[in-house]
Amino acid sequence: MPVNQLAEASIVASARIHLGLISMHAGGPRMNGGIGFAIVNPIANVNAKLNYRFTIRDSRPIPLLEHELDELIRDVEVVRLENGLRPATITIFGPIRSHVGMGSGTAIRLAILEALFALNGQSPADKALVANSKRGGTSGVGVTSYFSGGMILDLGRPTDGSLPTPSSQSNRPVSAATILPTLRMPDWPLCVCIPERIRAKTQREEVEFFERVLPLAIQDSYRTCYEAVFGIYAAVKDHDYQAFCRAVTSIQTTTWKALEWNEYGGALQRLKGQVERFGVDCVGMSSLGPSLFCFATPQTLDRLVEAQLSLNCEIYKTRPNNSGRVLRLLP
């Protein structure tokens, strides 16, 4: 539904945990697919105000690199001009980091576009915003959870003969991912651990990783699919915390996820072991990392937060987000 033209729009978008990609072999009827869920923090804040010229400023403690910001500005400017949108000054702030596996790139792009359209009195359909964002080409988890929150199981797309690439590079026109019914995540407490001394992968390194390890064997996709559907998704549907934790632990040993872990050598495995010694119920890596997440009792999570300096991590206590982004419109 269209909204009146405004002077300012603000969006709070949360991070997401990506538990794994699914169909990563060649020759199957469907490719890609994935499973994951939104969390309430860390967040990305996007503020947009009408102005005589179009600018984007990244005011986060660790901003995008100059060439990454330039690419973002170019892409959004193309959408702005194609749709005849008035220019705005857009500011990104908040604690969420880029390139640590938390889905910040997708969330920020969608928030910028949605805020810009809102300032111009327009409210495009979710699918139109996703198409303009050039995201969601590998997994539909991030682009779906941005709007709805919850647990997302993406069944991928019909195979087109190509091999998967990271979402940041999958900007060719693609059909929309097929999403199973989004589930409301139970209010299970967890925390996110972002290592300070383990270097995150660049976009180029992500592309190189995909090119180096794909395609997987068909049985590798079969096992991941089983863990995702019969393990994680079913456990959330049943509100079965113990089964969920077992499935999260098990999916870490699937071929695709194990290859992602191996990219960090022993450093990330050592951190995982340190976190486990606090008595958490399960530990996993989000996307290609290096961010880890763990589920545990609130008391255990409190101890982890207190130990973040000794663990050389930035640790956020958080919970699942079942409502998606928050849009505030100001006259």
Side-chain angles (χ1 to χ4, degrees), residues 17 39 41-42 97 100-102 190-196 198 261 268 271-272 274-276 278 280 282-286 289-295 300-301 303-305 307-308 311-318:
I17 298 294
I39 54 178
N41 66 296
R97 295 192 190 183
V100 294
M102 304 299 294
L190 71 147
C191 71
V192 173
C193 306
I194 305 172
E196 299 283 3
I198 299 177
W261 277 95
L268 204 57
L271 176 60
K272 175 176 177 285
Q274 290 176 298
V275 169
E276 288 174 331
F278 280 79
V280 301
C282 61
V283 181
M285 181 171 69
S286 181
S291 294
L292 302 184
F293 65 92
C294 60
F295 284 81
T300 299
L301 297 180
R303 293 198 301 272
L304 268 172
V305 172
Q308 61 184 316
L311 291 171
N312 295 310
C313 283
E314 184 177 14
I315 299 181
Y316 293 89
K317 282 183 65 177
T318 186

Side-chain angles (χ1 to χ4, degrees), residues 181-224:
T182 298
L183 299 179
R184 184 174 182 85
M185 280 286 291
D187 194 29
W188 295 330
L190 71 147
C191 71
V192 173
C193 306
I194 305 172
E196 299 283 3
R197 297 183 182 178
I198 299 177
R199 187 178 65 84
K201 300 297 180 184
T202 65
Q203 288 185 0
R204 178 62 247 172
E205 287 172 329
E206 290 182 19
V207 172
E208 185 277 331
F209 169 70
F210 274 68
E211 292 174 344
R212 172 163 40 89
V213 304
L214 294 179
L216 301 186
I218 191 170
Q219 60 266 27
D220 297 326
S221 293
Y222 286 174
R223 185 182 165 216
T224 304

